[in-house]
Amino acid sequence: MERNNQLQRQVALMRQSLFDQGYLDEQFVQLEELQDDTNPNFVEEVVTLYYRDSARLIASIEQALDKSPLDFNKLDSYMHQFKGSSSSIGGRKVKTECSQFREYCRTGNGEGWQDKQGPEVQLLAPHRKKKRDSAHNSFC
Amino acid sequence: MSKQVAGAASLPSRSVGSGKAEMGDGTGVSSTTAPAKKKLSVLIVDDDLMIRTIHTILVSRVGGEVESQVAENGKVAVDLFRSGKSFDVVLMDWEMPVMNGIEATKELRNMGVSSMIVGVTSHSMDTEKDTFMAAGLDDCYEKPLSIKILKDILQKMKIDA
């Protein structure tokens, strides 16, 4: 019983830290509030769908980044989708990064893409080999 | 009141209590005295399964007698109406494969569908929303919808008992 309480406290702290660090926003709370006894796994189902879609989008983005010259329209389209689904799940930080990426597309800034691939994208793309500082992995 | 709007003309906003077609029997017959206890029907049109899941649960939580159905692109939505099904409200995404939200909205209006069609899109710029509205929407909101916005939308559809 004590262990359960401990685990629950840990989960609650992890959850709060995601909000405090700006990874999640109010939209995630809205999703949590939609969960009830008739849909007890709603949040998990939605997050699972999000990870599935995100992994596929990131794989497409990586493929597009390997092409030369860069197809900014295609990259912008992928980022638009990614931003939309991240916004729907309350993924505030990913959404912000997506907006930045879209700016790079608008200005044709290929180097901006290389520098700006933050930890949030790393988490969703396990095959990436970029050397970055370790990301906050509790979002996984 | 039956709308026979063709093309991409902008439509006036709906007012509360206005008569609407396709209430109940799906034949498209106009009625201003629809049965008060009829369930409000919502068609959720989006190619994203995550959005369809979220909006389906949102609709079920709005309270009152509301039911929903999903369609994964504009063509599926149009085919549903063609098959004789009717919905009070259509939540229409913009970017979808096969037939996008603009094409589907224009097609539905060309068919004489006067259901409330609400655009739900990630496109946030006013010019983009104007483009979508011009296809024949009654209103347009950014994704994702919230309970409050959905309640406001459905409130506009309720007919006083």
Side-chain angles (χ1 to χ4, degrees), chain B residues 4-25:
Chain B
Q4 298 296 334
V5 177
S10 291
L11 299 174
S13 299
R14 286 183 164 278
S15 56
V16 174
S18 64
K20 55 188 199 315
E22 296 122 7
M23 184 86 167
D25 60 7

Side-chain angles (χ1 to χ4, degrees), chain A residues 27 34 36 42 53 85 88, chain B residues 48-51 57 61 122 144:
Chain A
Q27 177 59 24
L34 289 175
D36 65 5
F42 175 63
D53 292 348
S85 58
S88 298
Chain B
D48 187 343
L49 176 55
M50 190 180 79
I51 295 293
I57 299 290
R61 288 304 161 70
S122 315

Side-chain angles (χ1 to χ4, degrees), chain A residues 6-84:
Chain A
Q6 230 176 3
L7 284 171
Q8 281 177 3
R9 270 197 298 273
Q10 277 179 2
V11 168
L13 282 170
M14 281 171 64
R15 177 188 171 278
Q16 187 56 45
S17 79
L18 289 173
F19 285 96
D20 293 343
Q21 294 181 76
Y23 282 93
L24 294 178
D25 63 25
E26 174 62 25
Q27 177 59 24
F28 190 78
V29 176
Q30 298 259 344
L31 294 184
E32 288 178 317
E33 288 175 354
L34 289 175
Q35 183 162 294
D36 65 5
D37 292 341
T38 51
N39 299 283
N41 302 313
F42 175 63
V43 176
E44 184 186 336
E45 286 169 13
V46 172
V47 171
T48 303
L49 285 171
Y50 172 70
Y51 280 136
R52 185 199 69 181
D53 292 348
S54 303
R56 194 185 60 228
L57 269 172
I58 288 178
S60 299
I61 290 168
E62 286 184 313
Q63 271 187 346
L65 285 174
D66 281 337
K67 300 218 172 358
S68 182
L70 291 177
D71 184 343
F72 287 110
N73 282 335
K74 191 177 257 186
L75 285 165
D76 183 62
S77 171
Y78 289 140
M79 272 301 155
H80 171 79
Q81 291 177 59
F82 199 7
K83 183 184 169 189

Side-chain angles (χ1 to χ4, degrees), chain B residues 39-77:
Chain B
K39 277 191 185 184
L40 276 181
S41 56
V42 181
L43 178 63
I44 298 161
V45 190
D46 203 303
D47 61 324
D48 187 343
L49 176 55
M50 190 180 79
I51 295 293
R52 293 201 302 268
T53 305
I54 293 173
H55 285 170
T56 298
I57 299 290
L58 260 185
V59 167
S60 71
R61 288 304 161 70
V62 131
E65 294 288 302
V66 188
E67 58 187 8
S68 68
Q69 192 165 337
V70 297
E72 66 258 28
N73 62 55
K75 182 166 187 315
V76 173

Side-chain angles (χ1 to χ4, degrees), chain B residues 45-125:
Chain B
V45 190
D46 203 303
D47 61 324
D48 187 343
L49 176 55
M50 190 180 79
I51 295 293
R52 293 201 302 268
T53 305
I54 293 173
H55 285 170
T56 298
I57 299 290
L58 260 185
V59 167
S60 71
R61 288 304 161 70
V62 131
E65 294 288 302
V66 188
E67 58 187 8
S68 68
Q69 192 165 337
V70 297
E72 66 258 28
N73 62 55
K75 182 166 187 315
V76 173
V78 167
D79 287 346
L80 277 170
F81 277 93
R82 278 199 214 282
S83 73
K85 295 214 79 169
S86 65
F87 301 91
D88 300 302
V89 180
V90 179
L91 300 178
M92 185 75 81
D93 182 28
W94 181 335
E95 292 187 19
M96 296 179 284
V98 185
M99 185 186 283
N100 67 30
I102 289 183
E103 294 162 347
T105 302
K106 286 181 183 175
E107 185 62 26
L108 290 174
R109 293 305 190 205
N110 281 340
M111 287 161 57
V113 168
S114 62
S115 307
M116 175 179 265
I117 305 180
V118 175
V120 183
T121 176
S122 315
H123 289 279
S124 53
M125 291 175 58

